[in-house]
Amino acid sequence: MEQRITLITLGVSDLARSKAFYEALGWRGQEVAETVFFQAGGLGLVLWSREKLAADCGLEPGPAYGFGGIALAHNVRSEAEVDALLAKVPEAGGTITKPAAVNEIGFYSSAFTDPDGHAWELAYNPGFPLAEDGTVTLPDFGQ
């Protein structure tokens, strides 16, 4: 398998609400056949019915809320960008779960959940530089 992720699909309980949430944060997507597609750099973020996504994966839907063992991350270019974007989260219908601060590793980060409880980290980490197109480059960790 090539080391690549092409799509991340989030199972949501209310497609219109979830689409409105991400649009309030500045994302622009296309709704097609009860699915919303957002171009996110080199990959796609997809919103789809939680029940349909589970069935498509051959799984039962399971609990709708609570930490599911995964967090998505959105890195930005400054601490001010973290603060400005985080301020939009409650207005859009999300929940701030960790206020912005310098974390124990030494970079500025925060966390929030979308209306369906999907966890997001929002961070400014100068050690993970962003290209002009938003692509992140992971540093050489000395291995």
Side-chain angles (χ1 to χ4, degrees):
M1 175 191 280
E2 292 182 38
Q3 195 165 304
R4 170 183 357 100
I5 297 173
T6 52
L7 297 173
I8 295 173
T9 304
L10 302 178
V12 300
S13 60
D14 182 328
L15 188 65
R17 178 187 68 183
S18 293
K19 180 182 179 197
F21 172 78
Y22 286 98
E23 287 178 342
L25 297 183
W27 292 59
R28 295 294 167 250
Q30 302 176 62
E31 188 169 344
V32 179
E34 299 178 0
T35 308
V36 177
F37 296 87
F38 296 99
Q39 185 67 52
L43 63 83
L45 181 72
V46 181
L47 306 177
W48 195 25
S49 159
R50 183 175 176 75
E51 290 75 23
K52 290 178 183 179
L53 177 59
D56 193 55
C57 293
L59 300 168
E60 293 296 320
Y65 292 92
F67 183 62
I70 186 170
L72 303 170
H74 181 76
N75 283 34
V76 296
R77 293 178 174 82
S78 70
E79 291 182 9
E81 272 189 81
V82 170
D83 294 338
L85 187 53
L86 193 61
K88 294 179 179 181
V89 169
E91 298 166 10
T95 303
I96 297 171
T97 58
K98 185 178 90 175
V102 175
N103 65 22
E104 60 278 353
I105 302 170
F107 63 89
Y108 195 69
S109 73
S110 63
F112 66 89
T113 57
D114 73 5
D116 284 281
H118 298 293
W120 283 84
E121 177 187 41
L122 178 58
Y124 167 62
N125 183 347
F128 285 25
L130 296 177
E132 191 172 312
D133 69 357
T135 305
V136 67
T137 301
L138 298 177
D140 180 351
F141 293 105
Q143 297 182 15

